[in-house]
Amino acid sequence: MTESRNLHAASGLGAAEDRLYSSHEAAAFLGIHRSTLHLAVRKRKLTPDSYTPGGHARFRYETLRQFRDRLALDSATGGDGGVARALSGAVASLSRITDLEPVCEAVVDAALAACPSFTACLALACRDGVPRKSFDLIVSRGVEDRLMLEYRWLRRSPGVDFISSMVARQGARMLVPDVLSAGTSVPEGTQRLFSGAGWRSAALLPCVSNGETLGLLICLGRVVCSPSEPEIAALEQLADVMTVALRRWRRDDATRRQAEAIRALILQSRASVGRAPRDGDLAALRRICQQGAQARVVCEWGFPTAMDAGAPEPLADLLRAAATGGAEQRAEWTGTDGAAIALATPAPTAVGRAAVGAIWRKEDMRSGIEMALLQVYGQSCASVVYR
């Protein structure tokens, strides 16, 4: 009992937090039997900070405090019930929450409950689906702001790569029991970042949909550790939950952006009523359409004031077919820069046949209202050119 009181008292002393505590002291602090503590260590629910030459486990105060907090959700050795509750809570958030951040908060909290060896977790989104660019932070637990500032500073160093970028490019999970061990495949940027911040282990799981990495679930540990198979399975399920949330968020964002573009096209065409056509009218409409649709290219066919008479293939064929046949056209192909989709729709005019169309990267077609946006664009072009 005296040892338990001593350990409790250490919570208010900075110097005592660096002290290593024995299994007997740790069990008393946690309120469990010492045999239960040893079983928790064997099951990797609790990771010792070091071992004596005789093989006895030693623990730091912070390690014990975090494990004690998790006992409110889980048992010391079983963990299945608490992990199942955490997983079910994250899954349930998809049905009752539409915003991205609250779902990711549930995922991050469940990841820390499922894997006690990790003390920090982040949920990141790949910016526009391009792993080479920096990530957008959605949720962070246990990560200092200065680490994020250091990361952004190091990213400006030429040729410095990071484990997060590697995982996003490869689309496969990566488990790193010891970031600083000799012979590790962890890139220089991550080693420099972690060595100064005191992180030693990491688990990175990509959120992949249709071959594209949408985001990352990253867990970090202060000590050398390797998650167990059940823990890995839990993290993979949580990454799947986050993938669904990211996919839904990107679709909703694309729908919102394209609906705003439709309104902007209508307002732009109405603003030109009652005056002579100007050289920049069609350019303004095209800019609104291309930005709203996130299309690689937007083209017109059959308008006498069209800015670019030469549309790239196969969009040019679709435009002619849409104009002459009076029906919507669609084509898909795979080129050197990936899968692409082209759409074309006839534009109603009183003096001749015309059409408008666009080309997208396949992964950028997310909303399902791209054709509706093109139809409004065609009507706006006709109202600006022929009035």
Side-chain angles (χ1 to χ4, degrees):
M1 185 64 68
T2 301
E3 291 167 338
S4 176
R5 286 197 298 268
N6 290 339
L7 191 55
H8 276 284
S11 61
L13 300 176
E17 293 184 5
D18 294 330
R19 179 191 153 193
L20 293 173
Y21 295 91
S22 68
S23 297
H24 185 73
E25 292 173 311
F29 176 67
L30 296 170
I32 59 178
H33 195 272
R34 190 162 53 176
S35 62
T36 304
L37 179 78
H38 293 322
L39 184 57
V41 171
R42 287 199 299 271
K43 288 192 172 185
R44 298 181 183 177
K45 296 297 178 182
L46 175 62
T47 303
D49 292 286
S50 67
Y51 287 90
T52 67
H56 299 291
R58 292 292 183 264
F59 306 89
R60 296 190 184 278
Y61 170 77
E62 185 64 20
T63 301
L64 295 175
R65 185 195 64 76
Q66 291 175 359
F67 185 69
R68 183 184 60 181
D69 292 344
R70 290 199 176 94
L71 291 179
L73 290 175
D74 225 338
S75 69
T77 58
D80 293 339
V83 172
R85 287 193 298 272
L87 286 172
S88 63
V91 173
S93 67
L94 285 173
S95 60
R96 68 176 187 271
I97 300 173
T98 57
D99 292 338
L100 177 64
E101 185 173 336
V103 174
C104 290
E105 286 178 346
V107 167
V108 165
D109 292 338
L112 291 175
C115 303
S117 299
F118 294 118
T119 57
C121 190
L122 305 94
L124 306 175
C126 290
R127 186 169 299 173
D128 295 327
V130 182
R132 292 184 300 275
K133 293 185 178 180
S134 60
F135 300 95
D136 291 326
L137 177 64
I138 307 172
V139 176
S140 171
R141 292 283 191 272
V143 178
E144 309 93 332
D145 291 339
R146 66 180 182 85
L147 185 71
M148 306 306 297
L149 293 173
E150 178 78 1
Y151 167 73
R152 287 191 285 270
W153 181 78
L154 284 174
R155 279 195 63 86
R156 294 195 290 267
S157 302
V160 174
D161 200 8
F162 292 84
I163 193 173
S164 53
S165 299
M166 289 176 55
V167 172
R169 290 194 299 267
Q170 297 169 4
R173 79 184 189 205
M174 183 173 291
L175 308 175
V176 187
D178 186 0
V179 174
L180 305 179
S181 65
T184 182
S185 59
V186 176
E188 177 193 359
T190 298
Q191 287 189 333
R192 289 169 58 184
L193 184 67
F194 282 15
S195 61
W199 299 105
R200 289 298 299 271
S201 56
L204 297 91
L205 296 96
C207 301
V208 181
S209 177
N210 297 323
E212 180 187 7
T213 301
L214 307 183
L216 295 176
L217 178 63
I218 302 177
C219 297
L220 303 175
R222 293 286 185 185
V223 296
V224 176
C225 67
S226 180
S228 63
E229 286 302 321
E231 290 173 341
I232 294 173
L235 290 178
E236 288 180 334
Q237 293 179 57
L238 291 169
D240 290 340
V241 171
M242 188 172 152
T243 301
V244 174
L246 283 165
R247 189 167 59 233
R248 184 177 64 186
W249 171 72
R250 294 179 72 181
R251 180 202 63 204
D252 294 345
D253 182 65
T255 302
R256 175 194 55 77
R257 184 177 57 251
Q258 292 177 21
E260 291 175 352
I262 289 174
R263 288 193 291 270
L265 288 170
I266 294 173
L267 292 174
Q268 182 73 19
S269 59
R270 286 177 179 174
S272 63
V273 174
R275 60 171 172 78
R278 298 174 181 172
D279 293 339
D281 287 345
L282 198 58
L285 292 174
R286 178 188 279 191
R287 184 169 56 254
I288 293 171
C289 181
Q290 186 163 358
Q291 292 177 351
Q294 274 202 325
R296 289 169 49 188
V297 62
V298 172
C299 290
E300 311 81 19
W301 188 88
F303 292 101
T305 56
M307 294 176 292
D308 185 1
E313 298 291 346
L315 181 57
D317 294 335
L318 293 186
L319 289 169
R320 285 190 291 268
T324 57
E328 297 172 356
Q329 303 292 322
R330 177 188 177 100
E332 296 188 32
W333 69 92
T334 301
T336 56
D337 55 350
I341 297 177
L343 300 178
T345 184
T349 68
V351 297
R353 296 173 177 177
V356 296
I359 298 176
W360 287 265
R361 293 190 312 160
K362 188 173 183 178
E363 58 265 28
D364 288 337
M365 293 194 69
R366 303 165 183 164
S367 71
I369 65 170
E370 285 83 4
M371 185 62 82
L373 174 59
L374 282 180
Q375 290 171 348
V376 175
Y377 175 57
Q379 294 168 4
S380 299
C381 288
S383 67
V384 168
V385 175
Y386 302 105
R387 59 176 181 267

